[in-house]
Amino acid sequence: EDMAAHVGASRSPQEVMEHYVSMYIHGNLGKACIPDTIPNRVTLTTPLPPLDISVAEQQQLGYMPLRDDYEIEYDQDAETLISGLSVNYDDDDVEIELKRAHVDMYVRKLKERQRRKNIARDYNLVPAFLGKDKKDKEKTPKRKITKEEKELRLKLRPLYQFMSCKEFEDFFENMHKERILRAKIRELQRYRRNGITKMEESAEYEAARHKREKRKENKNIASSKRGKEDGKEGEFAAIENLPGFELLSDREKVLCSSLNLSPARYVTVKTIIIKDHLQKRQGIPSKSRLPSYLDKVLKKRILNFLTESGWISRDAS
């Protein structure tokens, strides 16, 4: 309108605009001056709608809904890269390239900020932080997640930044289906190994297997109770699986268990003591060479036991 007034009444504002566009933008002058691809062209994007949270929650997060920004952003000091830059006409090529590099670094940091905001939006992280996601889960109940699946989901969290929320949920559900199919395949292979070739035969097989496992479980419980009644299960639990346990009498088992001595070591000490006792009775001088793990207390306890049991005489003891 200003240019039309300057030219005079011969041209309307619309005619002035069309003349400018045709001559200076799409004409030869425009083609010579304006490149086809403009680097760092500013493009306007449609802003995301602000988060649906209360004023108190906005203050808690430091969230500014009209700008869709936070008071403390990711990489809060990123603006220091360009805050001191200025365009000077006497800058040489190195200084210009350095300033361009600073701007490029700043643009990259802005993109990373936006990327993190997009991830938080996509995965509903802000409502999760505020505890609102639990209410949404109650409204739309899904299948129950097992403990193993929760642990697996935690391990797969780094994938959040490479996949959208829907892609990740589909991926997770597909992994769940894969586990179910693998378990079914193993079950069918087990049926085949046991000679079952039809699904109607599997019900009878499973019922029989369940009965067998139940009988085995009841048998184990009964034997456990008998062991507790005899007072032997807890008493000999530490040594009953060690070599030489079957060679001991009941009293020797009690002794080894109370001394925390393995059956093999006890048999070794017992053999040396009895051998020395027999040589002394025959008048043969003998030098006792007891093992290093046998201290005075253990030696005294074993000697008293062997004396009371009649293996050696009291004088020798």
Side-chain angles (χ1 to χ4, degrees):
E1 291 174 355
D2 291 342
M3 289 303 301
H6 176 72
V7 172
S10 61
R11 300 274 182 167
S12 67
Q14 183 66 26
E15 290 175 334
V16 171
M17 184 184 75
E18 291 174 355
H19 175 76
Y20 176 80
V21 170
S22 62
M23 297 300 294
Y24 293 95
I25 295 179
H26 299 304
N28 292 331
L29 189 60
K31 291 178 181 178
C33 297
I34 303 175
D36 294 331
T37 58
I38 302 176
N40 298 323
R41 178 190 287 272
V42 176
T43 56
L44 300 178
T45 57
T46 304
L48 293 171
L51 295 173
D52 184 18
I53 55 179
S54 65
V55 176
E57 290 167 342
Q58 292 175 11
Q59 294 175 350
Q60 180 183 356
L61 293 172
Y63 178 68
M64 295 171 283
L66 298 180
R67 296 176 52 181
D68 194 30
D69 278 345
Y70 296 88
E71 291 180 6
I72 300 178
E73 293 280 2
Y74 168 75
D75 203 348
Q76 181 71 3
D77 298 330
E79 279 71 20
T80 56
L81 285 167
I82 61 168
S83 60
L85 292 184
S86 61
V87 178
N88 301 317
Y89 292 102
D90 56 347
D91 287 344
D92 56 22
D93 294 342
V94 175
E95 290 176 325
I96 293 173
E97 289 301 320
L98 181 62
K99 290 177 181 180
R100 285 179 176 174
H102 277 226
V103 173
D104 182 64
M105 292 164 64
Y106 176 63
V107 170
R108 290 171 185 267
K109 289 179 181 290
L110 289 184
K111 289 180 179 178
E112 178 62 18
R113 277 185 189 173
Q114 191 60 43
R115 188 182 74 90
R116 289 172 179 253
K117 287 179 185 177
N118 293 340
I119 292 173
R121 280 292 183 96
D122 194 19
Y123 284 90
N124 218 24
L125 298 184
V126 171
F129 174 76
L130 297 172
K132 289 186 173 183
D133 62 327
K134 296 179 181 177
K135 299 178 183 178
D136 296 337
K137 288 179 182 177
E138 292 173 359
K139 294 178 184 177
T140 58
K142 295 183 179 179
R143 65 176 183 84
K144 189 175 181 181
I145 305 296
T146 63
K147 182 181 178 182
E148 291 77 12
E149 288 179 321
K150 288 181 180 178
E151 293 176 352
L152 179 61
R153 188 180 283 267
L154 287 174
K155 291 180 181 178
L156 295 177
R157 266 190 177 177
L159 295 179
Y160 282 15
Q161 59 183 321
F162 305 114
M163 306 171 70
S164 67
C165 184
K166 186 179 184 308
E167 289 174 338
F168 180 81
E169 291 298 334
D170 292 343
F171 172 69
F172 193 75
E173 285 301 316
N174 289 335
M175 291 181 67
H176 174 68
K177 291 177 183 177
E178 181 192 10
R179 286 194 295 272
I180 293 176
L181 290 174
R182 287 183 181 275
K184 188 65 177 177
I185 290 171
R186 288 194 296 268
E187 183 183 42
L188 294 174
Q189 289 174 340
R190 179 164 55 85
Y191 287 160
R192 179 168 288 184
R193 284 196 301 269
N194 287 278
I196 298 171
T197 57
K198 297 181 180 179
M199 289 303 298
E200 53 267 21
E201 297 173 356
S202 64
E204 184 179 352
Y205 168 78
E206 286 295 335
R209 186 173 69 87
H210 180 70
K211 288 181 181 179
R212 286 196 303 271
E213 291 179 353
K214 196 71 177 175
R215 284 198 300 269
K216 186 177 180 181
E217 183 181 348
N218 293 336
K219 186 177 179 181
N220 292 336
I221 293 174
S223 63
S224 176
K225 288 182 178 178
R226 283 198 302 272
K228 289 181 179 178
E229 289 173 359
D230 296 339
K232 294 180 180 179
E233 183 190 34
E235 192 174 2
F236 303 143
I239 62 171
E240 63 182 351
N241 295 322
L242 297 177
F245 179 78
E246 67 280 357
L247 302 175
L248 305 180
S249 64
D250 289 342
R251 294 185 66 231
E252 287 176 321
K253 292 175 183 177
V254 173
L255 176 69
C256 290
S257 180
S258 64
L259 297 179
N260 196 22
L261 188 66
S262 68
R265 288 187 170 187
Y266 166 75
V267 171
T268 301
V269 174
K270 174 184 174 183
T271 303
I272 293 173
I273 291 175
I274 294 175
K275 184 179 178 182
D276 290 348
H277 172 65
L278 292 175
Q279 287 180 347
K280 286 180 181 178
R281 289 187 62 180
Q282 295 172 5
I284 301 174
S286 62
K287 185 176 181 181
S288 178
R289 296 184 178 180
L290 293 172
S292 59
Y293 56 78
L294 190 70
D295 57 22
K296 293 181 179 180
V297 177
L298 287 177
K299 179 181 177 182
K300 186 175 181 181
R301 290 282 300 276
I302 294 173
L303 283 172
N304 289 339
F305 173 79
L306 295 177
T307 302
E308 294 169 1
S309 302
W311 290 96
I312 60 177
S313 63
R314 194 166 295 277
D315 295 339
S317 135

